PDB file of all heavy atoms in Angstrom:
ATOM      1  N   THR A   6       4.488  -7.248  12.046  1.00 98.00           N
ATOM      2  CA  THR A   6       3.450  -7.757  11.150  1.00 98.00           C
ATOM      3  C   THR A   6       2.385  -8.502  11.950  1.00 98.00           C
ATOM      4  O   THR A   6       1.185  -8.329  11.728  1.00 98.00           O
ATOM      5  CB  THR A   6       4.088  -8.704  10.118  1.00 98.00           C
ATOM      6  OG1 THR A   6       4.940  -7.930   9.273  1.00 98.00           O
ATOM      7  CG2 THR A   6       3.042  -9.392   9.260  1.00 98.00           C
ATOM      8  N   GLU A   9       0.249  -6.145  13.947  1.00 98.00           N
ATOM      9  CA  GLU A   9      -0.661  -5.427  13.059  1.00 98.00           C
ATOM     10  C   GLU A   9      -1.842  -6.294  12.636  1.00 98.00           C
ATOM     11  O   GLU A   9      -2.978  -5.825  12.581  1.00 98.00           O
ATOM     12  CB  GLU A   9       0.099  -4.897  11.830  1.00 98.00           C
ATOM     13  CG  GLU A   9       1.063  -3.766  12.172  1.00 98.00           C
ATOM     14  CD  GLU A   9       1.646  -3.063  10.955  1.00 98.00           C
ATOM     15  OE1 GLU A   9       1.579  -3.623   9.833  1.00 98.00           O
ATOM     16  OE2 GLU A   9       2.179  -1.951  11.119  1.00 98.00           O
ATOM     17  N   ASN A  10      -1.554  -7.562  12.342  1.00 98.00           N
ATOM     18  CA  ASN A  10      -2.657  -8.449  11.947  1.00 98.00           C
ATOM     19  C   ASN A  10      -3.663  -8.635  13.090  1.00 98.00           C
ATOM     20  O   ASN A  10      -4.870  -8.651  12.853  1.00 98.00           O
ATOM     21  CB  ASN A  10      -2.121  -9.798  11.471  1.00 98.00           C
ATOM     22  CG  ASN A  10      -1.527  -9.713  10.078  1.00 98.00           C
ATOM     23  OD1 ASN A  10      -1.902  -8.875   9.263  1.00 98.00           O
ATOM     24  ND2 ASN A  10      -0.564 -10.587   9.790  1.00 98.00           N
ATOM     25  N   LYS A  13      -5.719  -5.284  13.499  1.00 98.00           N
ATOM     26  CA  LYS A  13      -6.708  -5.124  12.429  1.00 98.00           C
ATOM     27  C   LYS A  13      -7.885  -6.079  12.644  1.00 98.00           C
ATOM     28  O   LYS A  13      -9.060  -5.687  12.494  1.00 98.00           O
ATOM     29  CB  LYS A  13      -6.045  -5.380  11.068  1.00 98.00           C
ATOM     30  CG  LYS A  13      -6.913  -5.009   9.890  1.00 98.00           C
ATOM     31  CD  LYS A  13      -6.109  -4.947   8.603  1.00 98.00           C
ATOM     32  CE  LYS A  13      -5.518  -6.288   8.241  1.00 98.00           C
ATOM     33  NZ  LYS A  13      -6.031  -6.826   6.954  1.00 98.00           N
ATOM     34  N   ILE A  75      -3.538   0.878   9.368  1.00 98.00           N
ATOM     35  CA  ILE A  75      -3.306  -0.381   8.659  1.00 98.00           C
ATOM     36  C   ILE A  75      -4.386  -0.607   7.607  1.00 98.00           C
ATOM     37  O   ILE A  75      -4.112  -1.008   6.476  1.00 98.00           O
ATOM     38  CB  ILE A  75      -3.256  -1.567   9.640  1.00 98.00           C
ATOM     39  CG1 ILE A  75      -2.175  -1.348  10.699  1.00 98.00           C
ATOM     40  CG2 ILE A  75      -2.986  -2.870   8.888  1.00 98.00           C
ATOM     41  CD1 ILE A  75      -2.338  -2.223  11.930  1.00 98.00           C
ATOM     42  N   HIS A  79      -4.001  -1.030   3.614  1.00 98.00           N
ATOM     43  CA  HIS A  79      -4.583  -2.200   2.946  1.00 98.00           C
ATOM     44  C   HIS A  79      -5.488  -1.786   1.791  1.00 98.00           C
ATOM     45  O   HIS A  79      -5.351  -2.293   0.679  1.00 98.00           O
ATOM     46  CB  HIS A  79      -5.372  -3.023   3.974  1.00 98.00           C
ATOM     47  CG  HIS A  79      -5.956  -4.293   3.419  1.00 98.00           C
ATOM     48  ND1 HIS A  79      -5.359  -5.518   3.606  1.00 98.00           N
ATOM     49  CD2 HIS A  79      -7.058  -4.519   2.678  1.00 98.00           C
ATOM     50  CE1 HIS A  79      -6.079  -6.450   2.995  1.00 98.00           C
ATOM     51  NE2 HIS A  79      -7.118  -5.870   2.428  1.00 98.00           N
ATOM     52  N   ALA A  99      -5.335 -10.850  -0.918  1.00 95.00           N
ATOM     53  CA  ALA A  99      -4.189 -11.649  -0.462  1.00 95.00           C
ATOM     54  C   ALA A  99      -2.879 -10.861  -0.576  1.00 95.00           C
ATOM     55  O   ALA A  99      -2.043 -10.902   0.335  1.00 95.00           O
ATOM     56  CB  ALA A  99      -4.102 -12.945  -1.261  1.00 95.00           C
ATOM     57  N   ALA A 101      -2.587  -7.485  -0.793  1.00 98.00           N
ATOM     58  CA  ALA A 101      -2.652  -6.319   0.099  1.00 98.00           C
ATOM     59  C   ALA A 101      -2.375  -6.712   1.545  1.00 98.00           C
ATOM     60  O   ALA A 101      -1.863  -5.907   2.334  1.00 98.00           O
ATOM     61  CB  ALA A 101      -4.014  -5.636  -0.019  1.00 98.00           C
ATOM     62  N   GLU A 102      -2.705  -7.950   1.877  1.00 98.00           N
ATOM     63  CA  GLU A 102      -2.454  -8.460   3.230  1.00 98.00           C
ATOM     64  C   GLU A 102      -0.963  -8.367   3.572  1.00 98.00           C
ATOM     65  O   GLU A 102      -0.596  -8.206   4.733  1.00 98.00           O
ATOM     66  CB  GLU A 102      -2.957  -9.907   3.302  1.00 98.00           C
ATOM     67  CG  GLU A 102      -3.315 -10.409   4.668  1.00 98.00           C
ATOM     68  CD  GLU A 102      -4.281  -9.499   5.413  1.00 98.00           C
ATOM     69  OE1 GLU A 102      -5.362  -9.175   4.880  1.00 98.00           O
ATOM     70  OE2 GLU A 102      -3.932  -9.097   6.531  1.00 98.00           O
ATOM     71  N   HIS A 103      -0.103  -8.468   2.562  1.00 98.00           N
ATOM     72  CA  HIS A 103       1.338  -8.308   2.778  1.00 98.00           C
ATOM     73  C   HIS A 103       1.797  -6.861   2.623  1.00 98.00           C
ATOM     74  O   HIS A 103       2.562  -6.353   3.427  1.00 98.00           O
ATOM     75  CB  HIS A 103       2.113  -9.222   1.827  1.00 98.00           C
ATOM     76  CG  HIS A 103       1.919 -10.666   2.125  1.00 98.00           C
ATOM     77  ND1 HIS A 103       1.085 -11.467   1.378  1.00 98.00           N
ATOM     78  CD2 HIS A 103       2.407 -11.444   3.118  1.00 98.00           C
ATOM     79  CE1 HIS A 103       1.080 -12.686   1.902  1.00 98.00           C
ATOM     80  NE2 HIS A 103       1.868 -12.706   2.949  1.00 98.00           N
ATOM     81  N   LEU A 104       1.339  -6.208   1.553  1.00 98.00           N
ATOM     82  CA  LEU A 104       1.770  -4.825   1.305  1.00 98.00           C
ATOM     83  C   LEU A 104       1.391  -3.897   2.462  1.00 98.00           C
ATOM     84  O   LEU A 104       2.113  -2.939   2.753  1.00 98.00           O
ATOM     85  CB  LEU A 104       1.144  -4.309  -0.003  1.00 98.00           C
ATOM     86  CG  LEU A 104       1.721  -4.907  -1.290  1.00 98.00           C
ATOM     87  CD1 LEU A 104       0.817  -4.602  -2.477  1.00 98.00           C
ATOM     88  CD2 LEU A 104       3.135  -4.382  -1.553  1.00 98.00           C
ATOM     89  N   GLU A 105       0.297  -4.189   3.146  1.00 98.00           N
ATOM     90  CA  GLU A 105      -0.172  -3.324   4.234  1.00 98.00           C
ATOM     91  C   GLU A 105       0.834  -3.175   5.374  1.00 98.00           C
ATOM     92  O   GLU A 105       0.718  -2.260   6.183  1.00 98.00           O
ATOM     93  CB  GLU A 105      -1.492  -3.843   4.805  1.00 98.00           C
ATOM     94  CG  GLU A 105      -1.342  -5.137   5.595  1.00 98.00           C
ATOM     95  CD  GLU A 105      -2.671  -5.738   6.064  1.00 98.00           C
ATOM     96  OE1 GLU A 105      -3.725  -5.138   5.834  1.00 98.00           O
ATOM     97  OE2 GLU A 105      -2.616  -6.840   6.642  1.00 98.00           O
ATOM     98  N   HIS A 106       1.811  -4.085   5.434  1.00 98.00           N
ATOM     99  CA  HIS A 106       2.757  -4.023   6.554  1.00 98.00           C
ATOM    100  C   HIS A 106       4.011  -3.202   6.255  1.00 98.00           C
ATOM    101  O   HIS A 106       4.882  -3.068   7.111  1.00 98.00           O
ATOM    102  CB  HIS A 106       3.121  -5.436   7.010  1.00 98.00           C
ATOM    103  CG  HIS A 106       1.912  -6.234   7.407  1.00 98.00           C
ATOM    104  ND1 HIS A 106       1.149  -5.915   8.509  1.00 98.00           N
ATOM    105  CD2 HIS A 106       1.305  -7.285   6.828  1.00 98.00           C
ATOM    106  CE1 HIS A 106       0.124  -6.759   8.589  1.00 98.00           C
ATOM    107  NE2 HIS A 106       0.194  -7.595   7.581  1.00 98.00           N
TER     108      HIS A 106
HETATM  109 MN1   MN E 301      -1.643  -8.647   6.915  1.00 80.22          MN
END
Side-chain angles (χ1 to χ4, degrees):
Chain A
T6 293
E9 290 190 343
N10 284 333
K13 190 166 63 117
I75 303 162
H79 183 100
E102 204 52 54
H103 293 103
L104 288 166
E105 70 185 357
H106 303 293

